[in-house]
Amino acid sequence: MTSEVAAFEKTYRARVDLGVIAGDYPSLMTNLLRQGTPLDMVYSLWHMPQAYAEANWIHDFERFWAKDAAEKEMLPAVRDALTINGKLVGLPYFAFVNGALFANTDVLRKADLEGQYPNTYEELYAQVRLIKRRGASDTPYLPSFWSAPWFGIPFGFIQEALNRNIPLFGPGGHPLFDEQSEVVDMLGQWRSLYQEGLVPPGVLTFQESDWTEAFAKGGIAYSPQLQYDIKTFADPQTSQVAGKIVPVPQQGQKWGMLHVGAYLIGNYGQDDAALARAYGLAQHFGYRDQHTGGFDVPDAWASRYYLTQGYSAVNNSPALAESVARWLPDPETNWPVLKDYLTDPQVATDLFHTTWGSVWMTYASRELPKAVNGDESPAAVVKKLRKKAESLIDEYGN
């Protein structure tokens, strides 16, 4: 980031003060915006801008000179994610799948299952039990963020329900689930995985970094991860499983859901000239640079870190394919699988485009682990989650 900021300053003869915020970034950023802090451009995950826009803390991009061109080039799902009440509110920082399913070919080989990938969660859970019975792994499955940090377990809950085509939320965030929903059985399956010791002990208290570290140590057959982390698993400097981690094809259902980071423009009463400078900074980082006409920063993020972008021109470029081929095992087979994850990802728009979505997810972060560890029944937890959504609609409106 610092090198790209320096490049912008040199090219545009403008000063940029870069602030790195440690800790609970969403809460800290929300407080800064609420206080009217002069923030020209900020980073946000896409479930936050709805609340920011309704509070008038951010500018939309309706006056951005390259808005129409950028929208045409965006992946449709990304454009829709960043469109609030019919207005574009940000440019993409990244777009990848949260919960892309990765497999350790070494463990599968030991279980005599190499290449026999599951097509559904039912097949996945059956296979991890078989892997344990065959002695290939004590804990063959690392689930998708079963903990509270960064709304971990609610993301896992939402994406698995989406993948199973279980309705959760409708227009306006109205809950479509109750104690009779298939999601109760889904949580019951999570409870069984935990009870049978198929997942690492302590998984409910993991921090975000623990997921990559646990999978990178080896011994785990399958894990839904952030899509871009596959490059970390391929690096011998950071992984003990380099060359062994591959993406599981989407052949019967989707794996994971769309995850978007966005560059937003703060609204603190700046004049038009200051707003134009902020748009220029956002364009440099989140679209085609004004001077070069190229996706300079998006291309750099994708090639250096496999941080895929909101534009197919970046994600499907020969340059990225060449970069990925240097570290991805069997790229002729696995590169098309990785690209397929962003072809038509599932999205949680009906929840994330509510003012109260992050409040519900904070509540769900505390309640969902109770269904996993047995403190409460899955049906009881689901009932509470629905009641919370209904109360938030009453409080905030649709």
Side-chain angles (χ1 to χ4, degrees), residues 34 165 200 224 391:
R34 180 185 290 114
N165 294 317
S391 70

Side-chain angles (χ1 to χ4, degrees), residues 34-370:
R34 180 185 290 114
Q35 295 163 11
T37 307
L39 300 172
D40 290 310
M41 188 177 82
V42 301
Y43 155 75
S44 173
L45 297 178
W46 75 282
H47 59 274
M48 299 302 296
Q50 177 81 34
Y52 294 166
E54 292 192 13
N56 202 32
W57 295 340
I58 58 173
H59 279 283
D60 59 46
F61 276 68
E62 293 302 297
R63 296 172 63 190
F64 174 47
W65 47 83
K67 168 186 169 291
D68 292 343
E71 285 184 321
K72 288 179 181 178
E73 293 201 80
M74 280 184 204
L75 295 168
V78 173
R79 182 189 62 238
D80 293 347
L82 298 181
T83 300
I84 304 296
N85 299 327
K87 297 180 179 180
L88 187 71
V89 299
L91 294 178
Y93 168 29
F94 61 70
F96 57 74
V97 167
N98 183 342
L101 186 62
F102 296 151
N104 183 324
T105 57
D106 187 48
V107 177
L108 295 184
R109 187 180 302 112
K110 292 177 181 177
D112 196 26
L113 292 169
E114 188 173 14
Q116 300 180 42
Y117 301 121
N119 295 323
T120 65
Y121 283 100
E122 298 289 350
E123 293 181 9
L124 171 63
Y125 295 158
Q127 192 175 119
V128 296
R129 288 183 168 91
L130 178 59
I131 290 168
K132 185 163 185 172
R133 287 199 304 271
R134 291 182 175 178
S137 172
D138 290 333
T139 54
Y141 185 55
L142 179 61
S144 185
F145 302 104
W146 280 5
S147 67
W150 288 86
F151 305 128
I153 197 166
F155 276 150
F157 177 76
I158 293 164
Q159 71 196 26
E160 186 163 334
L162 280 173
N163 297 161
R164 290 172 176 262
N165 294 317
I166 301 173
L168 283 184
F169 295 94
H174 285 278
L176 304 176
F177 60 93
D178 57 25
E179 303 97 299
Q180 308 305 316
S181 168
E182 293 176 86
V183 80
V184 174
D185 179 63
M186 185 183 88
L187 287 181
Q189 293 179 42
W190 287 17
R191 168 62 179 155
S192 295
L193 292 169
Y194 185 79
Q195 190 175 35
E196 294 171 35
L198 294 163
V199 301
V203 69
L204 291 174
T205 61
F206 274 18
Q207 298 299 307
E208 184 176 3
S209 61
D210 294 328
W211 265 269
T212 53
E213 292 174 5
F215 198 46
K217 288 179 180 178
I220 295 170
Y222 289 105
S223 181
Q225 295 272 344
L226 303 181
Q227 185 179 352
Y228 82 98
D229 278 331
I230 194 169
K231 189 174 189 297
T232 298
F233 302 132
D235 186 350
Q237 300 297 317
T238 56
S239 171
Q240 298 177 39
V241 292
K244 301 174 182 177
I245 304 303
V246 299
V248 174
Q250 300 183 114
Q251 301 178 104
Q253 61 166 47
K254 299 290 184 181
W255 298 113
M257 67 178 178
L258 182 69
H259 198 49
V260 179
Y263 299 112
L264 311 179
I265 301 300
N267 179 15
Y268 56 90
Q270 65 267 55
D271 59 25
D272 287 351
L275 178 59
R277 288 193 295 271
Y279 279 151
L281 182 64
Q283 178 172 357
H284 174 74
F285 280 89
Y287 185 47
R288 294 182 181 272
D289 182 79
Q290 291 184 71
H291 282 190
T292 68
F295 285 102
D296 295 357
V297 175
D299 278 334
W301 287 171
S303 294
R304 293 176 194 168
Y305 313 111
Y306 185 56
L307 189 60
T308 47
Q309 299 291 304
Y311 305 99
S312 59
V314 176
N315 299 334
N316 298 327
S317 69
L320 181 55
E322 181 180 347
S323 171
V324 169
R326 299 190 189 106
W327 51 263
L328 182 66
D330 188 9
E332 289 188 5
T333 299
N334 293 314
W335 176 227
V337 175
L338 276 179
K339 288 199 297 181
D340 181 55
Y341 271 88
L342 272 177
T343 298
D344 184 28
Q346 292 183 289
V347 293
T349 307
D350 286 325
L351 174 63
F352 289 176
H353 280 185
T354 64
T355 309
W356 49 265
S358 62
V359 180
W360 182 87
M361 286 192 288
T362 298
Y363 177 81
S365 295
R366 299 191 297 268
E367 297 302 319
L368 283 167
K370 298 175 183 177

